[in-house]
Amino acid sequence: MKNLFKVALVATGIFSFVQSQAHSMPLDSVGHKIKHAAKSVGHATAHAAATTDAAIVDKRYDGKYGPDGQAVYINKHSHYYYINKTGHRVYLKKSELMDKPTK
């Protein structure tokens, strides 16, 4: 009976400590940081996967670049595109392609 009382007392103490700590920590900022980190990791992963896919499947258009210096690829339907920061394909018209920047 004494052991049961001790265990119940310790459990109550731990529960009350956790509840007091939960109120002192702003969950909004922690949740926002976790959400932001998860989103940036997801975008980086999607960008890496899309770039790898484009390099394997489609042909790279040498000498031409996207608006911010991205590599331009040509798919099997002769459409020009580049991969943006979030890993999406952005299709371009041939008139929108930029020449290789000179050094």
Side-chain angles (χ1 to χ4, degrees):
M1 195 69 177
K2 287 182 181 181
N3 289 337
L4 183 63
F5 181 71
K6 289 178 185 177
V7 170
L9 186 61
V10 169
T12 305
I14 291 172
F15 180 73
S16 64
F17 176 75
V18 168
Q19 288 298 324
S20 67
Q21 291 299 320
H23 289 296
S24 66
M25 180 183 287
L27 292 177
D28 216 16
S29 66
V30 173
H32 178 71
K33 288 179 183 178
I34 291 172
K35 184 178 178 181
H36 179 70
K39 188 179 281 189
S40 65
V41 167
H43 288 322
T45 304
H47 179 67
T51 304
T52 304
D53 177 51
I56 293 171
V57 175
D58 298 328
K59 185 177 179 182
R60 184 170 178 180
Y61 193 0
D62 291 328
K64 297 289 185 177
Y65 292 89
D68 294 326
Q70 301 96 334
V72 174
Y73 298 97
I74 307 170
N75 66 9
K76 64 182 179 180
H77 303 290
S78 298
H79 296 143
Y80 303 99
Y81 69 92
Y82 68 92
I83 308 295
N84 67 3
K85 292 179 184 177
T86 59
H88 295 100
R89 291 180 179 184
V90 179
Y91 289 93
L92 301 168
K93 297 177 186 175
K94 192 163 187 172
S95 62
E96 295 174 325
L97 298 176
M98 299 173 60
D99 291 329
K100 184 174 182 177
T102 57
K103 293 181 181 179

Coordinates of all heavy atoms in Angstrom, one line a residue, residues 25-78:
M25 N 5.7 27.6 -21.9 CA 6.3 27.6 -23.2 C 5.3 28.0 -24.2 O 4.2 27.4 -24.3 CB 6.9 26.2 -23.5 CG 7.5 26.1 -24.8 SD 8.0 24.4 -25.2 CE 9.4 24.2 -24.1
P26 N 5.6 29.0 -25.0 CA 4.7 29.4 -26.1 C 4.7 28.4 -27.2 O 5.6 28.3 -28.0 CB 5.2 30.7 -26.6 CG 6.7 30.7 -26.2 CD 6.8 29.8 -25.0
L27 N 3.6 27.6 -27.3 CA 3.5 26.6 -28.3 C 3.4 27.2 -29.7 O 3.7 26.5 -30.7 CB 2.3 25.7 -28.0 CG 2.4 24.9 -26.7 CD1 1.1 24.1 -26.5 CD2 3.5 23.9 -26.8
D28 N 2.9 28.4 -29.8 CA 2.7 29.0 -31.1 C 4.0 29.1 -31.8 O 4.2 28.8 -33.0 CB 2.0 30.3 -31.0 CG 1.0 30.6 -32.1 OD1 0.7 29.6 -32.8 OD2 0.6 31.7 -32.2
S29 N 5.0 29.6 -31.1 CA 6.3 29.8 -31.7 C 7.0 28.5 -32.1 O 7.7 28.4 -33.1 CB 7.2 30.7 -30.9 OG 7.6 30.0 -29.7
V30 N 6.9 27.6 -31.2 CA 7.5 26.2 -31.4 C 6.8 25.6 -32.6 O 7.5 25.0 -33.5 CB 7.4 25.4 -30.2 CG1 7.9 23.9 -30.5 CG2 8.2 26.0 -29.0
G31 N 5.5 25.6 -32.7 CA 4.8 25.0 -33.8 C 5.1 25.7 -35.1 O 5.3 25.1 -36.1
H32 N 5.3 27.0 -35.0 CA 5.6 27.8 -36.2 C 7.0 27.4 -36.7 O 7.3 27.2 -37.9 CB 5.6 29.3 -36.0 CG 6.0 30.1 -37.1 ND1 5.2 30.2 -38.3 CD2 7.1 30.9 -37.4 CE1 5.8 31.0 -39.1 NE2 7.0 31.4 -38.6
K33 N 8.0 27.3 -35.8 CA 9.3 26.9 -36.2 C 9.4 25.5 -36.8 O 10.1 25.2 -37.8 CB 10.3 27.0 -35.0 CG 10.6 28.4 -34.6 CD 11.5 28.4 -33.4 CE 11.7 29.8 -32.9 NZ 12.6 29.9 -31.7
I34 N 8.6 24.6 -36.2 CA 8.6 23.2 -36.7 C 7.9 23.2 -38.1 O 8.4 22.5 -39.1 CB 7.8 22.3 -35.8 CG1 8.6 22.1 -34.5 CG2 7.5 20.9 -36.4 CD1 7.9 21.4 -33.4
K35 N 6.9 23.9 -38.3 CA 6.2 24.0 -39.6 C 7.1 24.6 -40.6 O 7.1 24.1 -41.8 CB 4.9 24.8 -39.4 CG 4.1 24.9 -40.7 CD 2.8 25.7 -40.4 CE 2.0 25.8 -41.7 NZ 0.8 26.6 -41.5
H36 N 7.8 25.7 -40.3 CA 8.7 26.3 -41.2 C 9.8 25.4 -41.6 O 10.2 25.3 -42.8 CB 9.3 27.6 -40.6 CG 10.2 28.3 -41.5 ND1 9.8 29.0 -42.7 CD2 11.6 28.5 -41.5 CE1 10.9 29.5 -43.3 NE2 11.9 29.2 -42.5
A37 N 10.4 24.7 -40.7 CA 11.5 23.8 -41.0 C 11.0 22.6 -41.8 O 11.7 22.2 -42.8 CB 12.1 23.2 -39.7
A38 N 9.9 22.1 -41.5 CA 9.3 21.0 -42.3 C 9.0 21.4 -43.8 O 9.3 20.7 -44.7 CB 8.0 20.4 -41.7
K39 N 8.5 22.6 -43.9 CA 8.2 23.1 -45.3 C 9.5 23.3 -46.1 O 9.6 23.0 -47.2 CB 7.5 24.4 -45.2 CG 7.0 24.9 -46.5 CD 6.2 26.2 -46.4 CE 4.8 25.9 -45.9 NZ 3.9 27.1 -45.9
S40 N 10.6 23.9 -45.4 CA 11.8 24.1 -46.2 C 12.5 22.8 -46.5 O 13.1 22.7 -47.6 CB 12.7 25.0 -45.4 OG 13.1 24.4 -44.2
V41 N 12.4 21.8 -45.6 CA 13.0 20.5 -45.9 C 12.2 19.8 -47.1 O 12.8 19.2 -48.0 CB 13.0 19.6 -44.7 CG1 13.3 18.1 -45.0 CG2 14.0 20.1 -43.7
G42 N 10.9 20.0 -47.1 CA 10.1 19.4 -48.2 C 10.4 20.1 -49.5 O 10.5 19.4 -50.5
H43 N 10.6 21.4 -49.5 CA 10.9 22.1 -50.8 C 12.3 21.7 -51.3 O 12.5 21.4 -52.5 CB 10.9 23.6 -50.6 CG 9.5 24.2 -50.4 ND1 8.4 23.7 -51.2 CD2 9.0 25.2 -49.7 CE1 7.3 24.4 -50.8 NE2 7.7 25.3 -49.9
A44 N 13.2 21.5 -50.4 CA 14.6 21.1 -50.8 C 14.6 19.7 -51.3 O 15.2 19.4 -52.3 CB 15.5 21.2 -49.6
T45 N 13.8 18.8 -50.7 CA 13.7 17.4 -51.2 C 13.0 17.4 -52.6 O 13.5 16.7 -53.5 CB 12.9 16.6 -50.2 OG1 13.6 16.7 -48.9 CG2 12.9 15.1 -50.6
A46 N 12.0 18.1 -52.7 CA 11.3 18.2 -54.0 C 12.1 18.7 -55.1 O 12.1 18.3 -56.2 CB 10.0 19.0 -53.9
H47 N 12.9 19.8 -54.8 CA 13.8 20.4 -55.8 C 14.9 19.4 -56.2 O 15.2 19.3 -57.4 CB 14.4 21.7 -55.2 CG 15.4 22.3 -56.1 ND1 14.9 22.9 -57.3 CD2 16.7 22.5 -56.1 CE1 16.0 23.4 -57.9 NE2 17.1 23.2 -57.2
A48 N 15.5 18.7 -55.2 CA 16.5 17.7 -55.6 C 15.9 16.6 -56.4 O 16.6 16.2 -57.4 CB 17.1 17.2 -54.3
A49 N 14.8 16.1 -56.1 CA 14.2 15.0 -56.8 C 13.8 15.4 -58.2 O 14.0 14.7 -59.2 CB 12.9 14.5 -56.1
A50 N 13.2 16.6 -58.4 CA 12.8 17.1 -59.7 C 14.0 17.4 -60.6 O 14.0 17.1 -61.8 CB 12.0 18.4 -59.6
T51 N 15.1 17.9 -60.0 CA 16.3 18.2 -60.8 C 16.9 16.9 -61.2 O 17.4 16.8 -62.4 CB 17.3 19.0 -59.9 OG1 16.6 20.2 -59.5 CG2 18.5 19.4 -60.7
T52 N 17.0 15.9 -60.4 CA 17.6 14.6 -60.7 C 16.7 14.0 -61.8 O 17.3 13.4 -62.8 CB 17.6 13.7 -59.5 OG1 18.4 14.4 -58.5 CG2 18.3 12.4 -59.8
D53 N 15.4 14.0 -61.7 CA 14.5 13.5 -62.7 C 14.7 14.2 -64.0 O 14.8 13.5 -65.1 CB 13.1 13.6 -62.2 CG 12.1 13.1 -63.3 OD1 12.3 12.0 -63.7 OD2 11.1 13.9 -63.6
A54 N 14.8 15.5 -64.0 CA 15.0 16.2 -65.3 C 16.3 15.9 -65.9 O 16.4 15.8 -67.2 CB 14.9 17.7 -65.0
A55 N 17.4 15.8 -65.1 CA 18.7 15.5 -65.7 C 18.7 14.1 -66.3 O 19.5 13.9 -67.3 CB 19.7 15.6 -64.6
I56 N 18.0 13.2 -65.8 CA 18.0 11.8 -66.3 C 17.1 11.6 -67.5 O 17.4 11.1 -68.5 CB 17.6 10.8 -65.2 CG1 18.7 10.8 -64.1 CG2 17.4 9.4 -65.8 CD1 18.3 10.0 -62.9
V57 N 15.9 12.2 -67.4 CA 14.8 11.9 -68.4 C 14.9 12.9 -69.6 O 14.8 12.5 -70.7 CB 13.4 12.0 -67.8 CG1 12.3 11.9 -68.8 CG2 13.3 10.9 -66.7
D58 N 15.1 14.2 -69.3 CA 15.1 15.2 -70.4 C 16.5 15.7 -70.7 O 17.4 15.5 -70.0 CB 14.2 16.3 -69.9 CG 12.8 15.9 -69.7 OD1 12.3 15.0 -70.4 OD2 12.1 16.4 -68.8
K59 N 16.5 16.4 -71.8 CA 17.8 16.9 -72.3 C 18.0 18.4 -71.8 O 17.0 19.2 -71.8 CB 17.8 16.9 -73.9 CG 19.1 17.3 -74.5 CD 19.1 17.2 -76.0 CE 20.4 17.7 -76.5 NZ 20.4 17.7 -78.0
R60 N 19.2 18.7 -71.4 CA 19.5 20.0 -71.0 C 19.8 20.9 -72.2 O 20.5 20.5 -73.1 CB 20.7 20.0 -70.0 CG 21.0 21.4 -69.4 CD 22.0 21.3 -68.3 NE 22.2 22.7 -67.9 CZ 23.1 23.0 -66.9 NH1 23.7 22.0 -66.3 NH2 23.2 24.2 -66.6
Y61 N 19.3 22.1 -72.2 CA 19.5 23.1 -73.3 C 20.7 23.9 -72.9 O 20.7 24.8 -72.1 CB 18.3 23.9 -73.4 CG 18.2 24.7 -74.7 CD1 19.2 24.7 -75.7 CD2 17.1 25.6 -74.9 CE1 19.1 25.4 -76.8 CE2 17.0 26.3 -76.1 CZ 18.0 26.2 -77.0 OH 18.0 27.0 -78.2
D62 N 21.9 23.5 -73.5 CA 23.1 24.2 -73.3 C 23.1 25.6 -73.8 O 22.6 25.9 -74.9 CB 24.3 23.4 -73.8 CG 24.5 22.1 -73.1 OD1 24.3 22.1 -71.9 OD2 25.0 21.2 -73.8
G63 N 23.6 26.6 -73.1 CA 23.7 28.0 -73.5 C 22.5 28.8 -73.2 O 22.6 30.0 -73.4
K64 N 21.5 28.2 -72.7 CA 20.3 29.0 -72.4 C 19.9 28.7 -70.9 O 20.1 27.6 -70.4 CB 19.1 28.5 -73.2 CG 19.2 28.8 -74.7 CD 19.2 30.3 -75.0 CE 19.3 30.6 -76.5 NZ 19.1 32.0 -76.8
Y65 N 19.4 29.7 -70.2 CA 19.1 29.7 -68.8 C 17.8 30.3 -68.5 O 17.2 31.1 -69.3 CB 20.2 30.4 -68.0 CG 21.5 29.6 -68.1 CD1 22.4 29.9 -69.1 CD2 21.8 28.6 -67.2 CE1 23.6 29.2 -69.2 CE2 23.0 27.9 -67.3 CZ 23.9 28.2 -68.3 OH 25.0 27.5 -68.3
G66 N 17.2 30.0 -67.3 CA 16.0 30.6 -66.9 C 16.2 32.0 -66.3 O 17.3 32.5 -66.4
P67 N 15.2 32.6 -65.8 CA 15.3 34.0 -65.3 C 16.3 34.3 -64.3 O 16.9 35.3 -64.2 CB 13.9 34.3 -64.8 CG 13.1 33.1 -64.9 CD 13.9 32.0 -65.6
D68 N 16.5 33.3 -63.4 CA 17.5 33.5 -62.3 C 18.8 32.6 -62.5 O 19.5 32.3 -61.5 CB 16.9 33.2 -60.9 CG 15.8 34.2 -60.6 OD1 16.0 35.4 -61.0 OD2 14.8 33.8 -59.9
G69 N 19.0 32.2 -63.7 CA 20.2 31.4 -64.0 C 20.0 29.9 -63.9 O 21.0 29.2 -63.8
Q70 N 18.8 29.5 -63.8 CA 18.5 28.1 -63.7 C 18.8 27.3 -65.0 O 18.6 27.9 -66.1 CB 17.0 27.8 -63.3 CG 16.6 28.4 -62.0 CD 15.9 29.8 -62.2 OE1 16.2 30.4 -63.2 NE2 15.1 30.2 -61.3
A71 N 19.1 26.1 -64.9 CA 19.3 25.3 -66.1 C 17.9 25.0 -66.8 O 16.9 24.8 -66.1 CB 19.9 23.9 -65.7
V72 N 17.9 25.1 -68.1 CA 16.7 24.9 -68.9 C 16.8 23.5 -69.5 O 17.8 23.1 -70.0 CB 16.6 25.9 -70.0 CG1 15.4 25.6 -70.9 CG2 16.4 27.3 -69.3
Y73 N 15.7 22.7 -69.4 CA 15.5 21.4 -69.9 C 14.5 21.4 -71.0 O 13.6 22.2 -71.1 CB 15.1 20.4 -68.8 CG 16.2 20.3 -67.7 CD1 16.0 21.1 -66.6 CD2 17.3 19.5 -67.8 CE1 16.9 21.0 -65.5 CE2 18.2 19.5 -66.8 CZ 18.1 20.2 -65.7 OH 19.0 20.2 -64.7
I74 N 14.6 20.4 -71.9 CA 13.7 20.2 -73.0 C 13.1 18.8 -72.8 O 13.8 17.8 -72.8 CB 14.3 20.3 -74.4 CG1 15.1 21.6 -74.5 CG2 13.3 20.1 -75.5 CD1 16.0 21.6 -75.8
N75 N 11.7 18.7 -72.7 CA 11.1 17.4 -72.6 C 10.8 16.8 -73.9 O 11.2 17.4 -75.0 CB 9.8 17.5 -71.7 CG 8.7 18.3 -72.3 OD1 8.8 18.7 -73.5 ND2 7.7 18.5 -71.6
K76 N 10.2 15.6 -73.9 CA 10.0 14.9 -75.2 C 9.0 15.6 -76.1 O 8.9 15.2 -77.3 CB 9.6 13.5 -74.9 CG 8.2 13.3 -74.2 CD 7.9 11.9 -73.9 CE 6.5 11.8 -73.2 NZ 6.2 10.4 -72.9
H77 N 8.3 16.5 -75.6 CA 7.3 17.3 -76.5 C 7.9 18.6 -76.9 O 7.1 19.5 -77.4 CB 6.0 17.5 -75.7 CG 5.4 16.3 -75.2 ND1 4.8 15.3 -76.1 CD2 5.2 15.8 -74.0 CE1 4.3 14.3 -75.4 NE2 4.6 14.6 -74.1
S78 N 9.2 18.8 -76.8 CA 9.9 20.0 -77.1 C 9.4 21.3 -76.4 O 9.4 22.3 -76.9 CB 9.8 20.3 -78.6 OG 10.4 19.2 -79.3

